Each structure stands twice: as structure tokens, then as C-alpha cells.
Amino acid sequence: MARTRRQHPKRRAINAVLGLYLASWFPITSAIWPFPPKRFTGNALIDAGSLGIDSRVIAFGDFNGDQYLDVLCLDSDQQTLSIYLWTHDLFHYTSSASFRHPTKVVNIVPGDFTHDGRLDLLVMGQGASNELDLLVYPALPSGGFDFSHPINIPSSSSAQPITADVDGDMKIDLLGMTPASQSDPQVPLQVWKNVWNISQSNSPLFEIVSPEFHGSQCRIADPHGNAVIDLNGDCLADVFLVCDNGRAGKSFQIWINNKDSGFDLTQQGSLPSDIQSISFADIDRDGTIDLVFTTCSFVSSSTGIGSDCYINIAYNQQLPLCTKPGDSGIQNGVRSCRPPDDLCIGDPNFKFDFSDNEAFVRFPVSTLFSSGASSPPSLLVRDLSFSPPLPLPIKLGDANLDGFPDFLMIIASGNDRTPYLAFSVPCAKGVAGCRADGTGRRGWAIAQKGAEVLGAIKDARSVSFLDMDEDGSLDILVQRSGSAGQGMTMFVQNNFYYDAFFLKAIVLNGACDNGWCYSANRSEKYHPFGISYSGASYKYTVLDTSGHRSAAQVGQLPQTSYHALYTPYSFFGLGRTNNYIENLFIGSTIHAEDHYINLEGVIPNSKLVIIPTTREEAWKRQLFLRPGEWIPWVTVTVVSGTALLAIIVFVLHLNEKREDELERRRASHHINFDAL
């Protein structure tokens, strides 16, 4: 007869408790699950709809200071403006205010022009012939804008002025040409210097002065691709100008910022005669800002479509990153590289070369697509649905978080206007942007799998990157012509999963040194989180999973003209890394001895808010962590594991206590016969 094996009483008790625990847990999981279901499912780009917007988006900004991106829209009459605030709980934009500007609106720049920690609105309206009327709607202490009492400022020429902190006081100035100065061959450039004094009643906002630019100035082109961004690597914003030389075509000038000594003209040269628009980014992740522009042999005046178009990349040639451990970067008294812990070293010998060399890459747009296309793809380079027509540059953003900027553009084929996302990829044979032998710095490949939602759009008129709901992914805004019954606006959620990290950062204008702003009567305090400020610079080093160190550079809000649609913050992918950011250098335009700071060990997947002051040690730094999608699962695992261990310990404790009691009883009944 087989002998049955009896379980130990302690083990039987544990198994019974575990069985009851698991049986009671699973049936009620769906009822008590505290986390909402995912709004978007699928590893792809997903159509998120219009999100409550059905008019032209003209500018981004955080208008209520809640650290969510809001939008400013312009109706088809080009005079009615509407502000939409993002509602996180509803995942939707909600109309906040609407008003009608007295003239046709050409461009809008949100910025803290009154230096009170709130966003104002600079509206550029169509004025007299070849003039732009400039008007500022100041922010109200209670929120919103004072539409009844705008601030009139001197007009500019039709070439839109750009925002820049020219004198280093962290107040927003304007750089451009006035109607009178544009005909001056010697000093065409003028500065709208911010002289606002909040304590003075009826204080003027700007006064026109001649800039401290040492060199031969040029006449700004219209349209142009002017920018405020660090180009020589010292983390201090410089000025890039596109010049109009009449029949001789266009040229460029780079003015280096020397703080109180003004700006020096360090490089100038001719641009291709068929150049369209210019964008700025660190294309090859070497810690320097490069130029990306398109050229087309012919642009149709009736459609805005360019034919025989090329993508051109001019790589910034300057000091590389030191790769040897302990390398000071100085050999024989000459600096040869930048140490990882000292990235903000200016290189006076930096340059851009547009001739045929390794630092200049030029490839046809058609090489991004298969040769079997029904009609050769062309590039939409102008939006003719707006008056005057808007230039459409290639939008740059790190959509897959690998640390290399990707391309977002509109391709025209026949009557279709379709947006395409091209990922930056390592060079190989047959990859667009690489040499025939497969060598080169970077190549590009069109996103196909999971990007069908973009391919279904046939009436796009402009595209932009943004981060909807601040969830740490670069999403896409597609503005459409509304043909075939489609809406005017479409948001595309970037729901791809990438095994990589990101960082978002914003440098504020120092309006409130302690991180809090107060109203005039100090009855209300608020954070100045909504400030849009041009000219900040970020440079960082990071180690990838193989131990390779690389550097990258990102600029903040470098362009504000012609509906540039940059976000007020900077977003950059970090790639795959198992470490913190080693060194993050953050530069401002402040004229102090140290215009930048170095932060070590910054946590990825977070948002960094920086408030500069004249003293480096007094810079305010705030880090906001973004909970990842894995946080709920970690929470449930920890709670479940803790509960399970607690039950096991409790059962073992009871079992041990029962055995101790039995042992005590046996001892009490024991008779000592020797004592009898």
C-alpha cells in the first residue's frame, strides 16, 4: 500500500493563506485599479484629432503659467485672435479669450516685454507700404491681456524684427530695421531697446537706438532666417542674419556676442541663389550648432511648390570634445579640444563652409523616396494661404529621442501635400545624405511603419513639433487647408516606444529672482513659468550604454519670425544611457562674469527650470520629474509584494506562537520523577 506523504502543518497553513490571497485579489483588480487606461494604444503615430482647435495656430506659449503648452490662433480674417489653454484632465484645448486686432496680423511673438513674469503679446500688423505696425498687449495682474490699453511702439520695415537681449539685461529687445533705417547703406540695423520701468507711470516700452555692431552692416532680407543662437560655442547667444544684396542674391553675417563690448562681425559670405529657409540644430551631436537649409531651382508662384529641391547641411567647424581621460585640451599652448567639464569655451576660429567638402552635405529631396514614385516628389516651401506668404523651413526635432534631430517636412506630389517624418540614422550605402561608399556623418530615412496617419494627409500647409500634455514625447501639429471636408488643425500623438531618455529645459528671464513674482500691491504671487525667452543655450555630455561619451548642443527659441512656431522650452533626446547627465552647461545672455552654470548629475526624463541672476551661485534651479508609464506597475508590484510578505510573516508568527504555547503546556505537565 502506497504511503501518503503528509505536509508539514506550517507549510499547509502558508499554502492556504497564499491561495486565499491570490483568489481574492484577481476578481476585484479591475474594480479597484486606481490608474486610468492609456489614452493612446499602439506603437505608432496616432491621430489625436483637432483637440478643440479649428483655426491657424500662429504661436505657442504658456499663457497661464501652469507648465502646459497653450496656443494662440488666428482666424481666416487675419484679425481675430483666440487664446486656447490646455486642459490636462480633459486632454483638450479650451478657449480662454478672443479679440480683434485693428489691422491685418502678420506675426505674433509672445514674450515678457514688461518684465513682470507674465507673457505679453507683440502683434505685428500690416501698416503702410513696406511697414509693420507694432503693438504690445500687456498681461493683466489677474490673468489675460489688456486689450483695451495696448502699448504702441515704433514701426519696423516689412522684414520682421527678431527678439534678442542685445544689452544683456535679460529684457526682451528687438533687432531689425525701421522704415527710415532700411534705406541707410551704412547703419540699416536698429534696436528697439527695452526701457520699461514698472514703477514709472506712462513709461515707454522701447526706444530706438543704433546697435553696438562693429563691422559693415547689411540690409536684412524679407523673408529671412535670422536667429539668436550660440555659434562659436561659448554658451552666449550670437546673431545670425540673412542679408539682401539685391541682384547679387542673399548672403549671411554672423555677429559674435562680446557682452559689454558689443557684437563683432566674424564671418560673412554668399548664400546659394536658390536658398529657401534656414534652420539651426546640432545635426551630428558633436556639441556645435549646424545650419540646415533647402534650395530649389524653381518655386511656383501659384502653388509655393519647389522643384529640383535639395537639403543642405553646413556643419559647424570648431573645437571638438576631448575624448582622452584627463585631457586638458591644451597642447603646446594651443587649445585643441574642449574638456567635458568645460564645454563653454569659445572658438574664435569656428566657421561654416558652403563649398564642396566634408563639412558641407547636399542631397536631393527625391533620394529620401523610392525611385518608383508615380511623380517626382517636390518640396512645399511657401504657404500661400497666408498673406504675405510664409516660408516653410524644415522642422528639426528629436522625435525618437536618440540625440540626433530628425526632419519634418511637407512633400508635394501631384495635387497632394503630405507631411513626412525622416529619422536621422547612421550612414550606410544607399542612405540619403551619405556618400556613395556609405560614409558620412548622418543619413536620413523616411518613417514608414507606424507613420500611416501622416501619409493619409493630402492637404497639409505647415507642420511643427510640440509636446502635447507634456508627456515627454515630441508630437506633431499639422495645419491643413481644410479641403475635402477635413478640419484645419490636426494633432498627431507620437506613441512610439523608444528605449531612450529625454530632458526638457527652460531658462527664464530673471524677472523674479527668488522664483516667485508679486503683483504691484503684493496681494498675489505666482511663478514666472510661462516666460518665453530667446537666446538661452544648453550643452551637455552623456555616456551611452557602451561607455562612449558624446556632447550635444541645443538652443532655446532661436527664431520668432514668420510663424516659426518654436516651443518656449528646449526638448532634447539623450539616447540610450544608464547614467545621469554628466555635465549640463546652461548659458544665458546676461552680462555677468559668468553667464552660464554647470550642473552635474541631472536626472533624465525631467523638466529643468532655470532663473539666472548676476551671481552664479544665486541661480535658481528647479527640477520637475515626470512619472513614467511604469510607475503604476512599480507601485502595484511594491504594494503587492509588501502585502504578501506581511501575510507570510504574520502567519509564521502565529504558527511559531502556537508551537511555543504547545511547548509551554507540555513542559508544565512534565513530572519530575527524580524529585519524588
Side-chain angles (χ1 to χ4, degrees), residues 268-292:
Q268 59 183 334
S270 299
L271 292 170
S273 58
D274 51 2
I275 189 172
Q276 300 303 318
S277 302
I278 301 179
S279 303
F280 299 82
D282 184 358
I283 299 298
D284 55 347
R285 199 178 180 182
D286 66 346
T288 64
I289 295 295
D290 309 309
L291 305 183
V292 179

Side-chain angles (χ1 to χ4, degrees), residues 435-452:
R435 301 185 186 92
D437 59 357
T439 61
R441 301 199 184 193
R442 297 299 293 179
W444 282 267
I446 294 294
Q448 296 179 345
K449 184 179 180 181
E452 293 81 5

Side-chain angles (χ1 to χ4, degrees), residues 1 6 118 124 139 154 162 201 265 268 300 362-363 368 384-385 403 489 493 534 547 600 607 614 643 655:
M1 182 176 179
R6 299 182 61 187
R118 288 189 175 95
M124 303 180 187
I162 60 174
S201 60
L265 178 61
Q268 59 183 334
S300 171
R362 184 173 186 264
F363 60 94
L368 291 168
L384 301 184
S385 64
T489 306
Q493 169 76 23
S534 297
E600 297 181 355
K607 181 176 181 179
T614 55
N655 204 38

Side-chain angles (χ1 to χ4, degrees), residues 253 271 329 407 458 539 552-553 579 624 630 665:
Q253 289 187 341
L271 292 170
F407 291 168
K458 306 300 181 183
K539 300 181 80 171
Q553 182 175 7
N579 206 345
F624 298 89
W630 43 267
R665 290 179 180 180

Side-chain angles (χ1 to χ4, degrees), residues 362-374:
R362 184 173 186 264
F363 60 94
V365 173
S366 58
T367 58
L368 291 168
F369 303 89
S370 62
S371 57
S374 57

